[in-house]
């Protein structure tokens, strides 16, 4: 009588990890090849008065993944699409979903709304500080104050709009000031300015939130 040979669970896990890593490397190579054919997104494109609308949109999309220490509009599109797929998988309780996005709170659409609006406001309010040879951390509200406020206070447009406004008004200017007047003169990594804007902005934002009636 023939017996079925079943691969050990650990070996199957290793195989799956290798496939995922190989797929990620291949996807990265494809994305880099495609992005080489896209128009460049100079810093001045972040200013609404700087360049064309298309370049401004590419800059904003690039801001969505600049927290990972690279900036690519194509990567931003991929990040948003796969985040939406992860949310769908979590809602449908699919076995292949991995860990649930947004800490399993089902708040991802509201996180995206707040973070996306904060990113747009950040670029509209502070894009004038950019120049062709000058970078500024316009991305910081997307990964800090705006989503944090939604995670703490929940769903709803009042929360999302408040989170977006606080993120853009508090986080970005603090980061810009620290980068320009502390990091650059002392030749320190600009990530110090980025995260300083995040934690200072968060402290101020949550103090303000405690006093808001909604």
């Amino acid at each position: 009588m023939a017996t079925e040979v079943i691969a050990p669970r650990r070996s199957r896990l290793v195989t799956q990890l290798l496939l995922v890593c190989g797929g990620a490397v291949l996807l990265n190579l494809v994305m880099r090849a495609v992005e080489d054919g896209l128009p460049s997104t100079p810093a001045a494109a972040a200013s609404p008065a700087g360049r064309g609308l298309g370049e401004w949109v590419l800059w904003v999309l690039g801001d969505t993944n600049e927290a990972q220490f690279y900036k690519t509009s194509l990567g931003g599109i991929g990040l948003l699409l796969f985040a939406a797929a992860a949310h769908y998988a979590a809602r449908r309780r699919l076995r292949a979903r991995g860990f649930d996005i947004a800490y399993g709170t089902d708040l991802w659409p509201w996180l995206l709304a707040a973070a996306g609006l904060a990113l747009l406001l950040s670029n509209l309010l502070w894009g004038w500080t950019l120049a062709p040879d000058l970078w500024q951390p316009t991305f910081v509200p997307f990964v800090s104050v705006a989503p944090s406020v939604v995670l703490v206070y929940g769903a709803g447009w009042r929360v999302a709009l408040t989170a977006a406004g606080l993120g853009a008004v508090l986080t970005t200017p603090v980061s810009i000031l620290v980068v320009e007047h502390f990091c650059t003169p002392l030749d320190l990594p600009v990530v110090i300015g980025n995260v300083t804007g995040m934690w200072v902005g968060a402290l101020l934002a949550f103090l303000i939130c405690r006093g808001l009636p909604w």
Side-chain angles (χ1 to χ4, degrees), residues 77-100:
I77 294 171
L79 182 147
L80 296 175
L81 289 177
F82 279 97
H87 175 67
Y88 173 81
R91 290 291 303 271
R92 298 296 297 270
R93 310 304 296 172
L94 300 181
R95 292 183 61 185
R97 71 186 184 278
F99 60 87
D100 290 339

Side-chain angles (χ1 to χ4, degrees), residues 35-47 50-66 70-77 123 130-136 138:
E35 181 125 14
D36 286 341
L38 294 176
S40 60
T41 55
S47 173
R51 304 227 176 162
L53 179 62
E55 289 180 326
W56 188 82
V57 171
L58 290 176
W59 175 274
V60 174
L61 283 172
D63 268 353
T64 61
N65 56 69
E66 192 165 4
Y70 64 90
K71 186 184 186 73
T72 160
S73 55
L74 189 61
I77 294 171
N123 278 278
L130 293 157
D133 59 344
L134 180 64
W135 171 89
Q136 294 287 17
T138 52

Side-chain angles (χ1 to χ4, degrees), residues 140-168:
V140 286
F142 188 77
V143 293
S144 55
V145 169
S148 299
V149 170
V150 173
L151 283 173
V152 172
Y153 289 100
W157 280 113
R158 286 190 299 182
V159 173
L161 293 174
T162 302
L166 291 175

